[in-house]
């Protein structure tokens, strides 16, 4: 038991359980099998995007542009489809668009060394503008029926998007845990100068992370487009980056870098999803959802800073 | 050429480039867009730039001090809606304005408390506020706009004095006032000092916490002011007001030569940056370029402005 | 005896305007602990940096196992078998101990090139156990380990590179007393494994306990290399100190003690344990101690940069000092040790820097009085002989000495009663040093009470009216006017117990 509590994510998991119990009391439907399925299904895109954001935050970085990347990719897929491309090819090209966005961010951040907050703030508007531009400002709908498989299909009795999310989560957990690339991310986030001394190429790792992040958003976008069945470029994923950031921080990721896991992030995503779902089931105004997200971000940074201060105090004495 | 460059001090040189860019933009649109070059249009532009301009004032100070505030757009909307609700609740319009300003100050105080007192990362805290306040705005009035303010109130955003919009005059006065503060007062000296070397300022027996706190208070206040002016100009308080305004504000500030890592920058530079942006947007509007395409151009401008700073 | 594992021949290093090392020879044999000693500025750290691949020497040859080598960077040096353990560890606090040792190393890969954690843990634990760190669980994250364990991890990391040569820079500075012995045990094991160790330390006691040989540097030259059995503490100190202090220092006549200005009672925090002392009007009180002995902590506490227990009285009245702003109110000034980070604001002008602490007095209703500022600034430019065409010049362009004068000037402008000077001449050339010493002397003559904290012994001896010696956070001795010399001072500071017949 004690060992369980020592896990970094323990507080988040406990908190998630607590929230679940509270909602179950308010509304018995909350814990119904259908609703649980719904929560899982509703959060697959967020979860996939959050994998990339976890890596970015592990590096000590930030990415505001993921929502716009999602919009741009989803719109592109819509365009590809409407030009009669096969769903598979269109989706693949869509993911490639995501990768290109990642390369764009990575180039400015890692190669040109411009602060990530500025680059992703700018690219957030650039990608969004492009998305609206190529969509012509209208809704993209009428996707071919085969395309629906990506967002609504089932494989082996499990919904396809959920399956993709699970595979990606497992894949990236392994990548972070068992490859030199993954460990470099932790090393850079933990102590940049020590990483440099150990001969780790910081720019290269950063660049790769942003490219991976772009790719993941691309995959999420395909699922998103297929599930919703329509894309409006100007609003798709508009609050996504903030929600995902909140999920990572709540899941135990440190804004100072180096600390956090994908497993924790997944719990964070589930927690956010539960709160959203629970608020709706409890018939509270859906507008509270955004307020709650913002509050959770602030809560997460408060906890984050407290932990950081506590650790530094132990190291460096009581000097302020 | 090189000797000339050496003779010219650095700052005016930079300002010259900015003014040249502004001139180019004005020239370009004068030829391209038929209605661009006219007194009415120019006054129109000035009338519309006030909200961005008001927020750019504290944003410049905050970026000079080495931080950033992304919550300004949400504070604007929050204050505007608070004002609207107070008015609907039967409060006198000017008292409602005060309620709006107080709401902005309160938001600024929360930011300041967390960032200055507890040294939390400004970016994350203000992102949290951005999301939370926008949510609260919708919660407060369920997304429906508030309108029907008395005529006296529309004076602030719609009245022209000798052909010049009142709010633009107000903005100009604010710019002059804060320029004075930044150049001639102790507070300004502290802000530049903190941006260049926070530790030395602390070691000089000056309260860094207080200075930072005041900066975020100011940011809250000016965002609220912008909210009031916006409501007055558009005659309604809406939940979506001020969305994405931070891009314009930050771009104006950084194009205006304020350094992203703090320590350097000026309000006069920001003012020119502001003009560049509003004329650009206005010209593009007249050419029929969509608002979101304009964001692409602004985003690229932002990248160029910061990219230049590294070199 | 076997062949040397490492030889350095005729190593010189020049920096612009400074010769840090001149023709230094150095030989290191496998399985020996070789102490490197010298005063601050003697060239120890430059030599270490050359040896560990940070700097390239201007002249000279390094041979490793008989072959000439050039280290391109610290990582290359490490791969060739020369590792350094800095005072500040280079660890990843968020990673496990094992990973800290094996980060980004291909040799730990398992199947398909994937990281094999079991293999890494196994090898790391083996290495750590082999040097007597058996109690350490290498799976633990480094931030949860104590200082000694972290040091063991650093050593084990070096060994994982098959280190032949290990440089240890002040390895005991960060350790509590009871863990120094543990560290020695680790060093003994390394010796037994044939690793050659360069041991850099100020602490005499440790040198005699652990070292086999000692090399003394002074003013960038090698003075001698001796077997430890051939030297005594006395002879070592004499080698380090060399000739007597030159004419840098003003003559300070004996002062009659005046009234107490600052009274400190039972002050405790961090490195300082219940220290008490008094500072009198017009007195220069020197505080001397080896790194980590607590003098810096005392300064921080007095200037409100840190909180702790104990009483502080100024002019007989008890006071609370919770922030630098409050310290300033009480007319305490502090010239901090790190001028670049804490003393000056680089891009700003001399004038802005000089006026910074007293802007409140120089403004009316918040508005700055430029006339007053200009006057004050020009006064201190002249008074301290700050060399610059005018006071609107950025301090960035000034020499180290002039920058330091700006820091002193900005605090003099605040008209303090108590001036704390910490390392007032660090990184300052000799000419400016003499000037600064004269200024300090003059200030005291005019009634300013000065607390002088410095690691440079000649400076402390040359200037102070009284010297208090700190050892591990406690005062162990007080030297009256003219009583101290460098041998005595160093002895008391490094190991007070060795001094016989001494009642503290």
């Amino acid at each position: 038991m004690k060992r369980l509590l020592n896990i970094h994510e323990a507080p988040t998991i406990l908190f998630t359980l607590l929230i679940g119990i509270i909602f179950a009391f308010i509304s018995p439907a909350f814990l119904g099998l259908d609703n649980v399925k719904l929560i899982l299904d509703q959060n697959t895109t967020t979860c996939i995007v959050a994998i990339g954001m976890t890596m970015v935050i592990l590096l000590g970085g930030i990415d505001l542009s993921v929502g716009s990347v999602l919009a741009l990719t989803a719109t592109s897929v819509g365009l590809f489809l409407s030009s009669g491309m096969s769903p598979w090819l269109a989706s693949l090209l869509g993911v490639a668009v995501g990768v290109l966005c990642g390369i764009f961010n990575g180039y400015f951040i890692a190669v040109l060394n411009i602060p990530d907050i500025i680059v992703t703030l700018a690219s957030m508007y650039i990608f969004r503008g492009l998305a609206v531009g190529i969509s012509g400002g209208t809704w993209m709908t009428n996707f071919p029926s085969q395309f629906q498989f990506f967002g609504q299909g089932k494989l082996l009795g499990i919904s396809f998007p959920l399956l993709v999310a699970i595979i990606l989560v497992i894949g990236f957990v392994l990548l972070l845990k068992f490859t030199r690339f993954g460990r470099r991310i932790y090393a850079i986030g933990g102590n940049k100068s020590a990483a440099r001394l150990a001969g780790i190429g910081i720019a290269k790792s950063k660049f790769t992370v942003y490219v991976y992040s772009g790719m993941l958003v691309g995959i999420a976008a395909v699922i998103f487009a297929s599930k919703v069945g329509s894309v409006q470029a100007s609003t798709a994923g508009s609050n996504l980056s903030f929600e995902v950031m909140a999920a990572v921080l709540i899941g135990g990721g440190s804004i100072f870098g180096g600390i956090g896991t994908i497993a924790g992030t997944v719990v964070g995503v589930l927690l956010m999803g539960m709160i959203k779902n629970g608020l709706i089931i409890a018939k509270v105004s859906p507008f509270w959802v955004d307020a709650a997200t913002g509050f959770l971000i602030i809560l997460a940074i408060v906890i984050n800073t407290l932990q950081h201060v506590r650790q530094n105090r132990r190291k460096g004495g009581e000097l302020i | 050429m090189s000797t000339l460059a050496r003779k010219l001090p650095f700052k005016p040189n930079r300002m010259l480039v900015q003014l040249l860019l502004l001139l180019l933009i004005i020239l370009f649109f004068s030829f391209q867009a038929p209605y661009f070059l006219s007194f009415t249009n120019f006054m129109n532009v000035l009338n519309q730039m006030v909200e961005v301009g008001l927020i750019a004032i504290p944003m410049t100070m905050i970026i000079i001090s080495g931080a950033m505030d992304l919550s300004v757009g949400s504070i604007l909307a929050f204050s505007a809606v608070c004002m609207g609700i107070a008015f609907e609740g039967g409060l006198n319009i000017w008292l409602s304005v005060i309620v709006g300003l107080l709401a902005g100050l309160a938001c600024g105080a929360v930011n300041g408390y967390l960032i200055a007192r507890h040294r939390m990362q400004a970016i994350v805290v203000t992102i949290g506020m951005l999301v939370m306040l926008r949510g609260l705005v919708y919660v407060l009035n369920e997304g429906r706009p508030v309108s029907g303010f008395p005529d006296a109130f529309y004076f602030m955003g719609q009245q022209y004095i000798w052909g010049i919009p009142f709010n633009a005059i107000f903005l100009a006065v604010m710019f002059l006032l804060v320029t004075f503060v930044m150049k001639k007062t102790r507070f300004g000296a502290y802000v530049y000092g903190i941006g260049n070397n926070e530790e030395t300022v602390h070691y000089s027996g000056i309260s860094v916490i207080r200075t930072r706190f005041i900066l975020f208070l100011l940011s809250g206040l000016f965002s609220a002011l912008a909210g009031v002016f916006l409501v007055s100009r558009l005659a309604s308080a809406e939940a979506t007001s001020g969305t994405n305004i931070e891009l314009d504000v930050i771009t104006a500030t950084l194009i205006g030569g304020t350094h992203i890592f703090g320590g350097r920058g000026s309000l006069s530079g920001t003012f020119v940056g502001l003009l560049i942006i509003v004329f650009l947007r206005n010209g593009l509007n007249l050419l029929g370029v969509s608002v979101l395409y304009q964001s692409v151009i602004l985003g690229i401008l932002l990248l160029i402005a910061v990219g230049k700073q590294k070199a | 005896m076997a062949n040397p594992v490492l030889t350095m021949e005729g190593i010189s290093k020049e920096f612009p305007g400074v010769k840090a090392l001149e023709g230094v020879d150095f030989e290191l044999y496998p399985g020996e602990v070789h102490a490197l000693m010298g005063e601050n500025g003697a060239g120890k750290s430059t030599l270490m940096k050359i040896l560990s691949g940070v700097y390239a020497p201007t002249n000279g040859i390094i041979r490793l196992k008989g072959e000439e080598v050039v280290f391109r960077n610290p990582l290359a040096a490490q791969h060739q078998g020369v590792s350094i353990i800095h005072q500040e560890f280079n660890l990843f606090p968020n990673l496990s101990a094992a990973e800290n040792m094996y980060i980004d190393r291909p040799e730990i890969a398992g199947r398909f090139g994937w990281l094999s954690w079991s293999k890494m843990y196994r090898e790391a634990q083996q290495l750590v156990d082999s040097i007597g760190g058996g109690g350490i669980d290498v799976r633990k994250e480094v931030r949860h380990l104590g200082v000694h364990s972290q040091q063991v991890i650093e050593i084990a990391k070096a060994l994982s590179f098959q280190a032949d040569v290990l440089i240890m820079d002040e390895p005991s500075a960060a350790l509590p007393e009871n863990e120094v012995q543990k560290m020695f045990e680790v060093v003994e094991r390394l010796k037994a494994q044939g690793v050659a160790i360069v041991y850099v330390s100020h602490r005499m006691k440790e040198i005699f306990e652990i070292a086999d040989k000692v090399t003394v540097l002074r003013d960038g030259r090698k003075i001698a290399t001796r077997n430890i059995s051939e030297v005594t503490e006395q002879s070592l100190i004499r080698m380090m100190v060399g000739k007597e202090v030159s004419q840098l220092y003003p003559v300070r006549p004996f002062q009659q003690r005046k009234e107490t200005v600052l009274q400190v009672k039972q002050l405790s925090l961090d490195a300082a344990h219940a220290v008490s002392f008094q500072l009198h009007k017009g007195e220069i009180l020197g505080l001397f101690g080896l790194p980590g002995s607590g003098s810096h902590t005392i300064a921080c506490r007095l200037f409100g940069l840190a909180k702790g227990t104990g009483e502080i009285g100024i002019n007989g009245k008890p006071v609370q000092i919770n922030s630098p702003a409050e310290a300033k109110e009480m007319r305490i000034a502090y010239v901090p040790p790190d001028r670049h980070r804490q003393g000056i604001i680089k891009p700003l002008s001399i004038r802005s820097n000089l006026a910074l602490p007293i802007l409140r007095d120089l403004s009316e209703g918040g508005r700055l009085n430029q006339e007053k500022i200009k006057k004050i600034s020009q006064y201190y430019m002249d008074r301290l002989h700050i060399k610059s065409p005018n006071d609107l010049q950025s301090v960035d362009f000034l020499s180290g000495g002039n920058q330091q004068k700006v820091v002193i000037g900005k605090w003099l402008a605040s008209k303090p009663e108590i001036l704390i000077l910490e390392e007032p001449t660090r990184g300052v050339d000799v000419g400016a040093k003499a000037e600064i010493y004269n200024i300090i002397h003059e200030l005291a003559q005019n009634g300013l009470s000065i607390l002088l904290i410095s690691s440079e012994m000649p400076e402390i001896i040359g200037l102070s009216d009284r010297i208090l010696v700190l050892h591990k956070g406690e005062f162990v001795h007080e030297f009256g006017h003219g009583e101290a010399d460098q041998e005595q001072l160093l002895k008391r500071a490094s190991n007070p117990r060795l001094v016989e017949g001494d009642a503290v």
Side-chain angles (χ1 to χ4, degrees):
Chain A
M1 187 65 198
K2 202 173 170 198
R3 202 164 156 178
L4 273 179
L5 282 178
N6 267 336
I7 300 175
H8 187 71
E9 288 79 18
T12 320
I13 295 172
L14 285 180
F15 190 62
T16 311
L17 291 177
L18 187 73
I19 293 281
I21 291 168
I22 291 174
F23 277 128
F25 266 112
I26 296 175
S27 156
F30 183 74
L31 279 186
L33 190 63
D34 286 342
N35 195 47
V36 171
K37 265 189 183 164
L38 185 71
I39 294 178
L40 288 178
D41 221 37
Q42 273 172 342
N43 291 291
T44 44
T45 38
T46 321
C47 181
I48 294 170
V49 176
I51 297 171
M53 186 67 89
T54 308
M55 295 193 289
V56 169
I57 288 183
L58 274 174
L59 277 175
I62 206 166
D63 188 348
L64 301 178
S65 70
V66 288
S68 301
V69 176
L70 183 109
L72 181 56
T73 313
T75 314
S76 321
V77 172
L79 276 184
F80 296 145
L81 287 172
S82 62
S83 73
M85 220 177 255
S86 92
W88 279 99
L89 186 60
S91 307
L92 222 64
L93 284 179
V95 175
V97 171
V99 170
L100 281 179
C101 294
I103 291 176
F104 180 92
N105 280 337
Y107 177 75
F108 280 96
I109 294 168
V111 182
L112 295 188
N113 233 341
I114 300 175
D116 44 13
I117 174 76
I118 291 299
V119 172
T120 57
L121 183 70
S123 66
M124 164 168 125
Y125 290 101
I126 294 175
F127 297 152
R128 175 78 59 189
L130 288 178
V132 176
I134 58 173
S135 77
T138 55
W139 288 78
M140 301 242 144
T141 48
N142 293 331
F143 298 138
S145 56
Q146 299 114 294
F147 182 66
Q148 285 177 1
F149 174 75
F150 294 113
Q152 300 163 27
K154 275 187 194 292
L155 209 68
L156 309 170
I158 307 173
S159 97
F160 179 74
L162 189 60
L163 205 63
V164 172
I166 292 172
I167 290 171
L168 285 174
V169 165
I170 294 174
F172 274 89
V173 164
L174 294 178
L175 188 78
L176 284 194
K177 184 80 182 168
F178 289 105
T179 66
R180 285 168 75 187
F181 165 72
R183 302 320 294 171
R184 281 181 195 140
I185 295 176
Y186 279 93
I188 293 168
N191 185 342
K192 220 174 231 167
S193 61
R196 202 170 287 127
L197 269 181
I200 294 173
I202 294 175
K204 194 177 144 203
S205 298
K206 259 191 189 175
F207 184 80
T208 317
V209 163
Y210 279 98
V211 173
Y212 269 130
S213 174
M215 179 191 83
L216 287 164
V217 181
I219 296 172
V222 172
I223 292 174
F224 171 84
S226 162
K227 195 184 327 186
V228 181
S230 65
V231 179
Q232 190 187 19
S234 57
T235 58
S238 61
N239 254 352
L240 185 67
S241 40
F242 305 133
E243 279 169 27
V244 169
M245 235 172 68
V248 175
L249 295 182
I250 291 165
S254 165
I255 195 68
F256 304 97
I259 297 174
T261 59
I262 289 178
T265 299
V266 172
V267 179
V269 170
L270 281 180
L271 175 60
M272 304 257 318
M274 271 169 56
I275 292 177
K276 247 190 213 180
N277 175 281
L279 286 175
I280 291 165
I281 284 193
K283 301 208 171 55
V284 179
S285 152
F287 295 128
W288 275 105
V289 172
D290 277 350
T293 308
F295 180 73
L296 285 175
I297 293 180
I298 293 177
L299 191 72
I301 174 89
V302 168
I303 294 169
N304 235 293
T305 309
L306 288 181
Q307 281 173 344
H308 193 71
V309 166
R310 207 179 55 200
Q311 271 157 25
N312 279 4
R313 179 171 302 153
R314 209 170 31 187
K315 246 186 341 206
E318 276 197 67
L319 302 183
I320 351 174
Chain B
M1 179 61 208
S2 62
T3 46
L4 184 73
R6 226 176 293 142
K7 265 180 198 161
L8 277 170
F10 182 63
K11 260 183 193 157
N13 204 2
R14 173 167 209 131
M15 185 70 109
L16 211 65
V17 175
Q18 289 157 7
L19 287 171
L20 224 64
L21 182 63
L22 178 61
L23 201 68
L24 269 173
I25 288 173
I26 292 178
L27 277 177
F28 174 79
F29 286 116
S30 303
F31 286 112
Q32 294 294 316
Y35 301 108
F36 182 78
L37 193 65
S38 72
F39 185 74
T40 339
N41 184 47
F42 273 34
M43 288 308 120
N44 198 12
V45 169
L46 292 185
N47 182 246
Q48 284 164 9
M49 73 186 259
V50 170
E51 292 85 33
V52 175
L54 279 174
I55 301 176
I57 292 172
M59 186 68 85
T60 305
M61 298 162 88
I62 286 180
I63 295 182
I64 288 174
S65 82
M68 196 174 279
D69 185 351
L70 295 175
S71 66
V72 286
S74 296
I75 297 182
L76 183 155
F78 184 69
S79 312
V81 168
C82 280
M83 182 184 80
I85 287 174
F87 178 71
E88 277 190 330
L91 221 54
N92 169 292
I93 181 62
W94 300 114
L95 283 178
S96 308
V97 167
I98 290 176
V99 167
L101 297 184
L102 286 179
L105 273 176
C107 298
V110 173
N111 277 336
Y113 176 74
L114 294 175
I115 295 163
R117 179 71 188 78
H118 293 288
R119 295 167 157 246
M120 294 182 185
Q121 277 211 341
I123 289 170
V124 184
V125 170
T126 54
I127 283 180
M129 286 295 272
L130 180 160
V131 181
M132 185 168 79
L133 288 176
R134 184 67 67 185
L136 281 180
V137 166
Y138 280 99
V139 170
L140 278 177
N141 76 340
E142 274 137 11
R144 99 204 123 70
V146 182
S147 52
F149 298 99
D151 284 347
F153 173 65
Y154 295 138
F155 175 83
M156 294 175 76
Q158 299 177 8
Q159 194 65 46
Y160 284 58
I161 298 173
W162 305 303
I164 302 169
F166 168 76
N167 59 0
I169 297 173
F170 181 81
L171 178 69
V173 171
M174 281 296 146
F175 255 97
L176 288 176
L177 196 72
V178 180
T179 303
F180 171 81
V181 169
M182 287 300 280
K183 285 204 161 157
K184 303 281 181 195
T185 70
R186 196 165 75 219
F187 184 77
Y190 291 167
V191 173
Y192 279 103
I194 289 172
N196 277 306
N197 188 341
E198 183 176 340
E199 211 173 339
T200 293
V201 175
H202 179 56
Y203 272 72
S204 299
I206 293 153
S207 174
V208 175
I209 295 175
R210 188 192 312 166
T211 310
R212 277 204 189 290
F213 185 77
I214 292 174
L215 285 178
F216 280 97
L217 267 190
L218 283 178
S219 186
L221 178 66
F222 275 80
S223 303
L225 263 178
V228 172
F229 273 100
L230 185 75
V231 173
S232 171
R233 180 160 70 84
L234 301 179
S236 91
E238 283 174 44
T240 54
S241 342
T243 314
N244 298 347
I245 203 171
E246 69 279 354
L247 174 73
D248 290 51
V249 172
I250 291 174
T251 310
T253 307
L254 296 181
I255 287 179
T258 297
H259 208 273
I260 180 69
F261 294 118
R264 274 180 279 165
S266 68
L267 280 163
S268 49
T270 298
F271 194 75
V272 180
L274 199 60
L275 291 177
I276 290 176
I277 284 186
V278 289
F279 277 113
L280 189 68
R281 270 204 190 272
N282 174 259
L284 292 170
N285 273 335
L286 291 178
L287 288 182
V289 178
S290 94
V291 176
L292 282 150
Y293 258 146
Q294 294 173 20
S295 302
V296 177
I297 296 169
L298 278 195
I300 292 169
L301 261 183
L302 179 59
L303 281 180
I304 293 171
V306 181
K308 277 259 194 283
Q309 290 179 355
K310 294 297 296 181
Chain C
M1 194 175 253
N3 291 323
V5 57
L6 177 101
T7 45
M8 298 174 94
E9 294 166 18
I11 299 286
S12 299
K13 178 72 188 172
E14 283 177 39
F15 296 106
V18 192
K19 268 196 171 168
L21 287 176
E22 252 190 291
V24 173
D25 299 329
F26 187 72
E27 270 187 350
L28 193 62
Y29 291 88
E32 75 173 3
V33 176
H34 196 136
L36 189 61
M37 298 196 79
E39 275 204 286
N40 283 342
K44 279 176 310 187
S45 59
T46 312
L47 191 66
M48 279 188 295
K49 281 180 177 158
I50 288 172
L51 193 49
S52 61
V54 179
Y55 295 152
T58 316
N59 268 313
I61 298 170
I62 304 174
R63 282 183 219 282
L64 200 59
K65 295 179 189 159
E67 278 178 46
E68 196 176 326
V69 287
V70 176
F71 301 134
R72 276 175 296 113
N73 55 48
L75 189 67
Q78 215 164 28
H79 276 290
Q80 285 166 271
V82 179
S83 285
I84 182 163
I85 296 168
H86 293 278
Q87 243 170 304
E88 309 242 318
F89 302 143
N90 265 307
L91 293 170
F92 304 100
N94 56 329
L95 299 183
S96 69
E99 219 180 344
N100 263 283
M101 297 161 58
Y102 286 105
I103 189 77
D104 210 32
R105 301 265 288 278
E107 57 262 41
I108 215 69
R111 232 173 299 166
F112 314 121
W114 283 44
L115 194 72
S116 165
W117 286 82
S118 54
K119 186 175 169 193
M120 184 168 82
Y121 284 142
R122 203 168 51 238
E123 297 202 357
Q125 195 71 57
Q126 252 172 21
L127 261 181
V128 170
D129 290 351
S130 78
I131 51 171
I136 301 170
D137 179 2
V138 295
R139 291 156 195 262
K140 256 194 174 170
E141 285 176 21
V142 159
R143 64 193 157 132
H144 298 309
L145 295 176
V147 188
H148 169 68
S149 304
Q150 294 191 359
Q151 195 173 44
V152 171
I153 299 305
E154 279 270 20
I155 294 170
K157 178 165 86 185
L159 291 185
S160 76
F161 282 99
Q162 316 293 334
D164 301 305
V165 176
L166 187 63
I167 309 161
M168 300 176 82
D169 181 13
E170 293 282 357
S172 62
L175 294 177
E177 179 81 335
N178 56 337
E179 296 204 325
V180 175
Q181 281 308 322
K182 283 202 223 161
M183 188 258 295
F184 284 167
E185 283 161 28
V186 172
V187 172
E188 289 294 344
R189 292 215 188 202
L190 292 175
K191 262 175 82 166
Q193 292 177 19
V195 179
I197 293 155
V198 180
Y199 193 98
V200 183
S201 178
H202 280 95
R203 303 187 184 202
M204 288 289 167
K205 186 182 142 210
E206 288 172 14
I207 301 294
F208 282 94
E209 212 173 321
I210 196 76
D212 304 304
K213 275 189 200 159
V214 55
T215 290
V216 177
L217 294 180
R218 190 174 73 220
D219 301 329
R221 293 167 194 275
K222 183 169 110 172
I223 301 304
T225 298
R226 298 263 192 282
N227 286 322
I228 205 77
S229 53
E230 298 166 13
V231 291
T232 62
E233 226 174 282
Q234 308 283 353
S235 62
L236 262 184
I237 290 177
R238 215 166 296 134
M239 281 191 263
M240 283 164 64
V241 171
K243 59 182 184 301
E244 278 314 299
V245 186
S246 59
Q247 294 305 309
L248 276 174
Y249 302 93
V251 183
R252 274 189 74 75
F254 178 73
Q255 314 263 324
Q256 207 61 45
R257 212 169 265 187
K258 296 189 185 129
E259 68 269 27
T260 304
V261 175
L262 174 72
Q263 172 121 33
V264 173
K265 269 190 206 153
Q266 299 288 318
L267 192 139
S268 289
L269 112 108
D270 259 7
H273 308 304
V275 295
S276 302
F277 66 92
Q278 295 175 349
L279 176 66
H280 305 98
K281 190 168 173 57
E283 178 184 43
I284 301 179
L285 175 61
L287 288 190
F288 182 78
L290 299 180
S293 63
S295 45
H296 174 66
T297 319
I298 292 173
C300 287
R301 174 74 176 90
L302 288 177
F303 195 60
L305 289 159
K307 293 187 174 80
T309 58
E311 290 166 31
I312 300 170
I314 292 175
N315 293 326
K317 268 180 256 159
V319 292
Q320 294 290 324
I321 306 172
N322 295 317
S323 69
E326 287 180 33
K328 195 166 71 177
E329 292 281 289
M330 288 157 201
R331 303 235 163 275
I332 299 176
Y334 176 43
V335 174
D338 189 339
R339 161 171 81 240
H340 300 282
R341 277 179 51 208
Q342 302 150 349
I344 53 176
I345 299 180
K346 268 194 185 158
L348 299 191
S349 66
I350 299 172
R351 189 185 288 181
S352 307
N353 271 283
L354 279 172
L356 185 64
I358 50 160
L359 284 181
R360 183 182 292 274
D361 305 326
L362 297 177
S363 51
E364 290 130 19
R367 183 184 175 172
L368 298 171
N369 185 329
Q370 295 296 346
E371 270 310 302
K372 271 195 197 168
I373 292 177
K374 189 175 165 191
K375 229 189 239 162
I376 288 265
S377 147
Q378 252 140 28
Y379 174 77
Y380 284 101
M381 284 270 290
D382 293 346
R383 169 104 160 66
L384 302 177
H385 309 289
I386 295 169
K387 286 179 203 80
S388 169
N390 61 58
D391 65 346
L392 294 176
Q393 188 86 260
S394 156
V395 285
D396 215 3
F397 298 127
L398 297 182
S399 68
N402 282 307
Q403 285 179 349
Q404 192 65 19
K405 286 188 210 164
V406 171
V407 183
I408 295 174
K410 84 177 197 185
W411 281 114
L412 292 186
S414 77
K415 304 252 181 301
E417 274 184 53
I418 299 162
L419 176 63
I420 306 167
L421 294 164
E422 189 166 349
E423 307 294 348
T425 61
R426 182 178 280 175
V428 165
D429 62 273
V430 181
K433 263 188 183 181
E435 277 185 83
I436 290 176
Y437 293 147
N438 268 317
I439 293 166
I440 295 173
H441 169 68
E442 244 181 75
L443 289 169
Q445 291 302 99
N446 294 335
L448 186 62
S449 313
I450 295 172
L451 195 63
L452 175 66
I453 299 168
S454 174
S455 58
E456 291 195 28
M457 289 186 289
E459 182 170 293
I460 285 258
I461 294 169
L463 282 172
S464 306
D465 298 317
R466 273 192 305 146
I467 301 170
L468 290 171
V469 182
L470 271 163
H471 178 76
K472 306 233 170 207
E474 287 167 32
F475 285 126
V476 289
H477 191 75
E478 175 174 339
F479 288 103
H481 182 259
E483 283 176 13
D485 60 39
Q486 296 200 36
E487 283 186 41
Q488 286 291 325
L489 198 56
L490 196 54
K491 225 188 251 176
R492 305 270 177 182
S494 55
N495 186 5
R497 267 169 294 169
L498 278 185
V499 186
E500 284 165 32
D502 186 32
V504 178

